[in-house]
Amino acid sequence: MIDDAREAEILRLYHAEKWRVGTIARQLGLHHTTVQRVLAKTGLALKTVSPRASKLDPYVHFMQETLAKYPRLRSSRLFEMARARGYRGGADHFRHVVARLRPRPAAEAFMRLRTLPGEQGQVDWAHFGKVQIGSAERTLWAFVMVLSWSRQVFLRFYLSAAMPSFLRGHVDALQFFEGVPRVLLYDNLKSAVLERVGDAIHFHPTLLELSKHYRYEPRPVAVARGNEKGRVERAIRYVRDTFFAARKWTDLDDLNTQALQWMTGLSAERRWNKDQPRSVGEAFAHEKPKLLSLPEHPYNTDERVEVEVGKTPYVRFDLNDYSVPHQHVRRTLVVIASLHVVRVLDGTLVVAEHVRSWDRGQQVESPEHIAVLAQQKARARKDRGLDRLSRAVPSAQRLLARAAERGSNLGNITARLLATLEAVTAAELESAVAEAVERDTPTVGAVRQILDLRRAERGQPPAVVPRFSTNPRAIEVVVQPHDLAQYDHLHQDKEDHEDR
């Protein structure tokens, strides 16, 4: 609507100044139909222009019938159908007309879902990019569970979204809530639903075991009904915006420690949507007594994998090799792994236990496993020392290659460098060996000289290198001191002989 002053201005410009309708509309910032309507109120009959005929006009009825029958048919396919019937116009104009003619689906209204305290929780995974751990690139996943009534969020990060992590997420969340909601809603995850045909649902048997242990009902949402678990979707968005964005962390344990602080701090202190004066933490305190009680023991979430041991005393698990006693080669063992510990069992006997590595291609060893084998395999002991030196000091391989070209004793060099490695850090030795190679002085003496000079520059004493011989006969040799006066007699005898 425009006021009387604007209508008067339109009439003046049209009748007195002889402006066209389009000029008035542009200058006054109005639509041309508004100007025409004002002029029509004064009885002025304006000339109307009939729309120009289009090449597409004969095909409009065909397009309407086709779109009514196939409302999701692509415009490119409909364009080819029209061309087969004689249409010779352009594709762009055709596409614009299709967009105008295509039937619009009726807008669907959704009811706001309300739940009772302790009745329902919602579960989902969220992807948070990649994490580089050594030479391995792992995917960072966030397990999120939210209580539907209080909106209390549980957040825990894992390096996998496989079933073992899915189970750990449930156990950790229910321990955090100190109770169990009666129903847990899932998206159609493979970890939850293996197959679905209409209302017939085939749950993952492991998830059913978990639900039986905690006595809750697993319930997947309907297909294409993300609104049914909108609380966890919004919680994930809230995690991305208020927790993860621009956050600095050193490792997964540090990230999860910060997540726990956020859950009990900022997340719990936000306003509760049902009662603004109350916080989410206060609502959760009201809901907690209405949750089902936890069972006496948590569900076992350790991974269990059968592995074959080859000729070497190692088992392969999750991209890494873990040592076992050499007596267990050529056997089938069982690996039981948690997030931090890997245990190897032969039947019910635990034969090895290691800290879990999330890197890849690593040899995780217990010194006693290798020491026993090395005592029985002298050749293996020698190769073992070279392998240890190569992994700790990569430049040692280049130094040994240069030394071999000069005909040096490689076994002696390897043993002496290993002895030096006992006195200095691997980084120090690596730097010194690299410099010796660059100087083309591939000797242990040159390496030790570089080490001593650098330590002197830092005000440190020279490194005390232990004996490197591993031959028991050499170690047990007792050197008897001699009276040096006999060398004076030898010198005197030589002078007497010359005087003659």
Side-chain angles (χ1 to χ4, degrees), residues 125-295:
W125 282 112
H127 179 267
F128 280 81
K130 301 288 187 178
V131 179
Q132 194 70 32
I133 302 178
S135 58
E137 186 179 61
R138 301 276 185 170
T139 303
L140 184 64
W141 291 92
F143 178 90
V144 180
M145 183 184 292
V146 59
L147 296 179
S148 298
W149 188 80
S150 67
R151 307 299 202 272
Q152 178 64 51
V153 175
F154 172 81
L155 170 66
R156 183 65 55 85
F157 290 90
Y158 300 94
L159 296 175
S160 168
M163 179 57 77
S165 297
F166 193 56
L167 298 176
R168 290 181 184 117
H170 282 78
V171 173
D172 292 342
L174 300 179
Q175 292 287 348
F176 173 76
F177 292 143
E178 298 181 11
V180 185
R182 287 169 173 76
V183 176
L184 283 180
L185 288 185
Y186 300 93
D187 205 344
N188 291 280
L189 304 167
K190 286 297 182 184
S191 300
V193 179
L194 293 180
E195 187 179 7
R196 182 170 189 159
V197 180
D199 294 332
I201 299 170
H202 181 197
F203 283 104
H204 197 294
T206 308
L207 180 68
L208 291 179
E209 288 292 330
L210 179 76
S211 64
K212 185 193 305 182
H213 184 83
Y214 285 103
R215 304 180 295 279
Y216 72 87
E217 176 191 352
R219 185 185 299 171
V221 299
V223 177
R225 284 292 184 270
N227 65 295
E228 293 184 9
K229 63 178 191 64
R231 289 174 175 84
V232 72
E233 298 287 353
R234 287 191 294 273
I236 290 173
R237 195 160 58 241
Y238 179 61
V239 168
R240 293 188 188 279
D241 295 340
T242 64
F243 174 76
F244 196 77
R247 182 165 296 274
K248 297 184 182 299
W249 46 282
T250 55
D251 55 24
L252 192 66
D253 289 337
D254 177 42
L255 181 61
N256 282 325
T257 299
Q258 295 185 45
L260 178 60
Q261 295 171 350
W262 175 82
M263 287 187 290
T264 56
L266 179 64
S267 175
E269 293 167 359
R270 72 188 191 277
R271 294 295 91 194
W272 188 43
N273 67 328
K274 295 183 180 180
D275 185 0
Q276 288 298 318
R278 184 186 292 187
S279 68
V280 168
E282 292 169 340
F284 173 57
H286 177 77
E287 182 177 24
K288 187 186 295 186
K290 296 177 174 56
L291 296 171
L292 299 175
S293 59
L294 291 171

Side-chain angles (χ1 to χ4, degrees), residues 4 8 97 109 113 142 154 164 177 195 209 216 224-225 246 268 282 296 311 321 337 361 376 471 482:
D4 294 339
V97 175
L113 302 178
F154 172 81
F177 292 143
E195 187 179 7
E209 288 292 330
Y216 72 87
R225 284 292 184 270
E282 292 169 340
E296 184 178 356
K311 296 180 180 179
D321 293 328
Q376 299 184 2
N471 188 332
H482 296 279

Side-chain angles (χ1 to χ4, degrees), residues 163-165 167-169 171 210 298-304 337-338:
M163 179 57 77
S165 297
L167 298 176
R168 290 181 184 117
V171 173
L210 179 76
Y299 187 81
N300 184 12
T301 61
D302 288 345
E303 300 171 64
R304 186 183 188 279
S338 66

Side-chain angles (χ1 to χ4, degrees), residues 90-106:
D92 289 343
H93 177 61
F94 186 91
R95 186 169 61 251
H96 294 152
V97 175
V98 170
R100 188 176 72 247
L101 297 178
R102 188 183 299 278
R104 297 290 184 269

Side-chain angles (χ1 to χ4, degrees), residues 10 13-14 17-26 35 39:
I10 292 172
L13 292 174
Y14 183 81
E17 303 296 340
K18 308 300 182 184
W19 285 15
R20 295 176 181 272
V21 172
T23 303
I24 297 173
R26 283 193 300 274
V35 177
L39 296 176

